[in-house]
Amino acid sequence: MARVIVVGAGATGLSCAVRLLERGHRVDVLARELPLETTSAAAAALWYPFRAYPFDKVAAWSRVGFQELAQLAGLPETGGRMMAGTELLRSPAPDPWWAGSGPELVRVGSPPPSYSDGWTFTAPVVEMPTYLRWLTNRICELGGTITRLALQQLPTGADAVVNASGLGARLLAGDRSVMPVRGQVLYVEQVGLDRWWLDGAGLTYVVPRSTDIVVGGTDQEGVWDRTPDPAIAEAILQRATALVPALQGARVLRHKVGLRPARPAVRLEVEQLGDRRVVHCYGHGGAGVTMSWGCAAEVAQLI
Ligand SMILES: Cc1cc2nc3c(=O)[nH]c(=O)nc-3n(C[C@H](O)[C@H](O)[C@H](O)COP(=O)(O)OP(=O)(O)OC[C@H]3O[C@@H](n4cnc5c(N)ncnc54)[C@H](O)[C@@H]3O)c2cc1C
């Protein structure tokens, strides 16, 4: 069995580490940001293939992700659960490109005013802080380690390295095609909501959790600013309240910004660097949680 260093402690790196440990490898995770500080911690995190390419591979990884996250939803300690919700569309559309990757889509019979189409489906929703803690514990239980370390280059001293560094691949793989897509969200108090809502046109989403509701969002390409913008927060809340009137008057608890690691195509491939095998796994854009287990399975195979 190999000694593997996984670089990155977001949803991608942690899922890869779990799968590799389950196969009997010795695994150490190194990361500049620990799990709760990563972009992954900002995810809503609804199973939904969004801003990730190419579609055929994303659909396949998302299918595996759906099955695994649906299973984990049966274990309350993971922070996952299955939740019904509705995506509304401003104009009629064919089934989305990812139809068939997991959920069963049911067309909305009578869309609300200003919408003309939409679909309802049940999918996994993951409360990321709980989920990332669960993944961390799983790694430790299986004998792996997680250490904070800011790397200037991919590490040596292991048989194989998994590069799950998200935006960090700009430095660690010299890959300038990885770009941030800024996502700003706010959290409001739970007002009794038990369904998610999505309007992709302005990227407006409302995802309830056990004690709060994630309200988003933005998808600003190439923007590195991680400070929440009050004017953007106000606009998000207005759009979200128009979509889900039950949010009217809900108390705002806090704000957050995450930078999605976007790339023209997810990079999941082997690069042989001397006697080291590097498996790159980054560029998951807006669907890193959705695809995490699908990508982790492929990474484990490549190792
Ligand atoms: C607001 C928002 C909402 C989202 N909603 C969803 C959703 O509903 N569903 C969904 O599937 N996805 C969603 N996403 C997307 C998802 O969060 C990302 O695709 C996912 O987090 C990417 O995970 P990752 O592990 O690849 O990268 P990251 O979470 O960014 O982790 C990268 C890791 O690499 C480490 N690293 C980087 N550089 C170095 C270095 N030099 N040395 C050491 N370590 C390094 C970092 O410290 C970090 O630990 C959302 C994103 C945002 C911002």
Side-chain angles (χ1 to χ4, degrees):
M1 286 298 152
R3 175 166 188 232
V4 185
I5 296 179
V6 174
V7 179
T12 307
L14 297 183
S15 311
C16 290
V18 168
R19 282 292 177 265
L20 290 165
L21 285 159
E22 286 170 348
R23 288 187 169 214
H25 297 295
R26 181 177 156 198
V27 179
D28 298 300
V29 178
L30 303 179
R32 191 182 54 212
E33 282 103 14
L34 294 178
L36 294 176
E37 304 157 357
T38 60
T39 299
S40 299
L46 170 66
W47 178 97
Y48 189 95
F50 172 65
R51 282 196 91 121
Y53 315 95
F55 286 166
D56 56 342
K57 288 189 173 177
V58 172
W61 290 321
S62 299
R63 187 175 301 117
V64 177
F66 188 94
Q67 288 163 359
E68 184 65 27
L69 291 173
Q71 271 196 358
L72 294 178
L75 306 172
E77 65 270 27
T78 64
R81 63 173 157 155
M82 298 301 284
M83 192 182 290
T86 303
E87 175 170 10
L88 291 169
L89 306 168
R90 307 265 168 186
S91 48
D95 279 355
W97 56 269
W98 47 263
S101 306
E104 193 181 321
L105 270 54
V106 178
R107 288 272 163 180
V108 175
S110 320
S114 75
Y115 292 100
S116 54
D117 204 352
W119 36 72
T120 285
F121 61 91
T122 297
V125 170
V126 184
E127 300 205 13
M128 288 310 284
T130 308
Y131 182 58
L132 291 168
R133 278 191 205 101
W134 178 80
L135 284 171
T136 302
N137 288 339
R138 181 100 186 99
I139 287 168
C140 296
E141 273 166 23
L142 289 164
T145 67
I146 303 179
T147 304
R148 187 192 294 279
L149 194 64
L151 297 163
Q152 293 304 313
Q153 55 189 26
L154 289 174
T156 52
D159 304 312
V161 173
V162 177
N163 175 16
S165 61
L167 274 178
R170 283 174 67 86
L171 170 71
L172 296 179
D175 186 344
R176 296 285 150 163
S177 72
V178 196
M179 292 293 290
V181 174
R182 181 180 184 277
Q184 180 168 333
V185 294
L186 50 121
Y187 301 85
V188 301
E189 62 180 333
Q190 243 302 3
V191 290
L193 211 63
D194 59 1
R195 295 173 63 83
W196 55 264
W197 291 89
L198 171 62
D199 173 355
L203 190 58
T204 308
Y205 52 87
V206 175
V207 181
R209 308 196 297 186
S210 50
T211 58
D212 58 13
I213 302 171
V214 188
V215 180
T218 61
D219 57 346
Q220 301 162 272
E221 278 186 39
V223 179
W224 287 92
D225 185 357
R226 290 184 60 178
T227 304
D229 178 328
I232 291 179
E234 184 57 36
I236 291 172
L237 194 53
Q238 272 184 19
R239 282 188 272 122
T241 306
L243 179 66
V244 185
L247 293 179
Q248 186 72 49
R251 194 160 50 95
V252 176
L253 303 175
R254 59 193 184 281
H255 301 264
K256 195 167 179 108
V257 170
L259 304 179
R260 301 176 183 89
R263 193 174 184 270
V266 175
R267 185 174 185 200
L268 203 174
E269 65 182 6
V270 177
E271 186 181 8
Q272 196 68 36
L273 293 178
D275 55 359
R276 251 182 327 158
R277 167 170 282 241
V278 174
V279 179
H280 296 284
C281 186
Y282 62 84
H284 297 82
V289 181
T290 302
M291 294 188 283
S292 54
W293 292 109
C295 291
E298 197 165 318
V299 165
Q301 257 172 9
L302 291 170
I303 293 283

